[in-house]
Amino acid sequence: MHCCGLSLNCRISAAAGRSERDRTSIFISSATSEAALRLFGYLLFAAGLVICAATFVGWVWLNAFACGMIPTGCRGFRLRWEDSEALAYFIPPFILGVIVAVAGLATVIRHRKV
């Protein structure tokens, strides 16, 4: 049988010629790819959270280190949010972590089970 590929009758007859096993294997591979994409989304989300957490821990460590470097001693430790020079190094990785986490969350939501 000759089909041009654009005809609806041609597609229906081609689909009718498939065995039940072929249809099941297509469903299984589709479900497997959905599960793999959900897993990838969870991994992206976790990676984003790890990047954000590591950035925040680095920020706290830098402030504690700076407090300890004061020659007169460290009397009170606080996070110095007004230090724009240091924040210039910590804001970009934090934003990257948020973007990665949001991308992972979007992937999980897009490929969730219905």
Side-chain angles (χ1 to χ4, degrees):
M1 178 171 157
H2 180 317
C3 288
C4 64
L6 299 176
S7 160
L8 181 61
N9 290 335
C10 210
R11 286 190 212 145
I12 292 172
S13 65
R18 290 187 189 148
S19 69
E20 186 64 33
R21 182 173 165 237
D22 290 341
R23 289 186 207 127
T24 305
S25 67
I26 289 171
F27 176 73
I28 289 173
S29 65
S30 170
T32 304
S33 87
E34 291 291 319
L37 284 170
R38 272 194 314 276
L39 177 62
F40 179 67
Y42 286 127
L43 291 175
L44 271 179
F45 183 71
L49 290 181
V50 166
I51 291 170
C52 288
T55 302
F56 185 72
V57 166
W59 176 247
V60 171
W61 176 84
L62 178 70
N63 281 275
F65 183 73
C67 185
M69 293 297 292
I70 297 174
T72 59
C74 183
R75 293 198 180 100
F77 169 72
R78 71 180 192 94
L79 296 176
R80 304 214 178 259
W81 298 106
E82 69 275 2
D83 187 3
S84 61
E85 291 175 351
L87 282 175
Y89 292 102
F90 287 98
I91 287 177
F94 189 80
I95 291 173
L96 176 71
V98 169
I99 290 171
V100 170
V102 167
L105 194 59
T107 302
V108 168
I109 289 171
R110 191 176 326 123
H111 298 287
R112 70 180 183 266
K113 292 180 183 177
V114 180

